Amino acid sequence: MDFRTTVERARRLGQLHAEYKPLVLPTVWDVWSARTAAAAGFPALTIGSHPLADSRGAADQEGQTFEEVLAAVRPIIAAVDVPVSVDLESGYGHQPADLIAGLTEVGGAGLNVEDTVHSQGGRVRSTQEHADYVAGLRAAADDAGVPVWVNARTDLFKHARDASAVLDEVIERLRALERAGADSVYPVGIQDDDELLAAVTGAVAVPVNSTAHPARHDLDRFRRLGVGRVTNGPLLQLAVTDAVKDMLGPWRP
């Protein structure tokens, strides 16, 4: 994609986060789903690692290489006229500068990066390590001249037996990510917990991302809780799968 177009899309993605409270970015996985979501009127999209992997017969949690992911997302990004952010999991073992170079070369306007390091047995980065990685992404994007939107994810709630017991640690991590240059933060696994969502949205100044199911969750609820950004993770693809099964059921031989 033309460099100027990539820069324009990245800038637009930043503007959209300021214009919408919250900004809803449907999580897509191929050209069809991206075109469908864009045609439905959404001004920006995300590509999720889990649905992308499922669509390609690969495993989530870095079952694809970075190069394979770039090759897969390139035609998706090119198929629509709206900014597209790409889930880059924990970075596929690459340095931040490599991620930014590859992402911007295929036209990506933003990225998601998590702290569970799948290439190293699923260990979780420390707060400082994850903040340093995000700071490296921010610096690389600045050096490239592309205002890539960095959505910094933490899996601490997801890994905890008792999510409320790690709230203070999560808030410390989110604030460190914000200081490191994250444009938004993403504490996964609490989309159904009003108390935890309100606690994290009140603890940071940047938008907080929440996962949402397109049929089971309510946008107004997320708005009331202060959520600034909504994506679907694998839930939109799962909802589509359920709908297709229901439609096909009566036609079984």
Side-chain angles (χ1 to χ4, degrees):
M1 180 173 290
D2 178 78
F3 178 75
R4 288 175 296 180
T5 301
T6 300
V7 172
E8 290 169 2
R9 289 191 179 191
R11 286 176 179 163
R12 181 59 182 149
L13 184 57
Q15 293 167 353
L16 289 168
H17 281 86
E19 293 174 11
Y20 290 85
K21 303 293 183 180
L23 176 64
V24 179
L25 301 100
T27 302
V28 301
W29 54 91
D30 59 10
V31 168
W32 168 80
S33 58
R35 285 178 171 165
T36 300
F42 289 92
L45 310 172
T46 59
I47 298 173
S49 65
H50 191 160
L52 180 70
D54 276 357
S55 74
R56 292 167 51 78
D60 189 28
Q61 301 182 348
E62 301 191 0
Q64 302 178 88
T65 67
F66 181 44
E67 292 72 24
E68 288 170 336
V69 168
L70 292 179
V73 303
R74 183 191 293 271
I76 303 173
I77 294 169
V80 293
D81 293 326
V82 300
V84 180
S85 182
V86 182
D87 181 359
L88 296 181
E89 304 201 61
S90 58
Y92 308 95
H94 285 264
Q95 293 299 310
D98 296 332
L99 294 189
I100 294 296
L103 177 73
T104 55
E105 199 276 327
V106 299
L111 64 87
N112 184 82
V113 63
E114 63 198 56
D115 53 8
T116 301
V117 187
H118 305 291
S119 61
Q120 298 176 16
R123 73 172 184 88
V124 179
R125 292 183 178 124
S126 70
T127 292
Q128 189 59 54
E129 183 185 9
H130 197 39
D132 288 345
Y133 198 83
V134 167
L137 292 167
R138 177 82 283 137
D142 291 346
D143 289 345
V146 185
V148 173
W149 186 275
V150 177
N151 187 48
R153 168 176 153 170
T154 179
D155 292 346
L156 291 181
F157 282 133
K158 178 182 175 182
H159 292 312
R161 291 184 179 180
D162 178 6
S164 62
V166 297
L167 176 59
D168 290 344
E169 184 181 359
V170 169
I171 288 176
E172 177 188 359
R173 180 160 300 201
L174 297 181
R175 287 173 172 168
L177 295 171
E178 180 182 1
R179 291 192 298 269
D183 298 293
S184 57
V185 291
Y186 186 12
V188 299
I190 58 170
Q191 59 266 21
D192 295 312
D193 192 312
D194 287 16
E195 185 174 345
L196 290 179
L197 273 174
V200 296
T201 60
V204 293
V206 296
V208 171
N209 192 123
S210 179
T211 310
H213 189 285
R216 298 173 188 165
H217 288 126
D218 176 69
L219 180 59
D220 285 339
R221 170 179 165 267
F222 286 123
R223 185 177 292 113
R224 289 194 304 271
L225 292 170
V227 171
R229 171 182 161 118
V230 174
T231 54
N232 303 118
L235 300 183
L236 176 59
Q237 188 184 58
L238 290 173
V240 171
T241 301
D242 289 341
V244 170
K245 287 180 179 177
D246 289 343
M247 287 187 288
L248 291 177
W251 296 87
R252 273 196 304 267

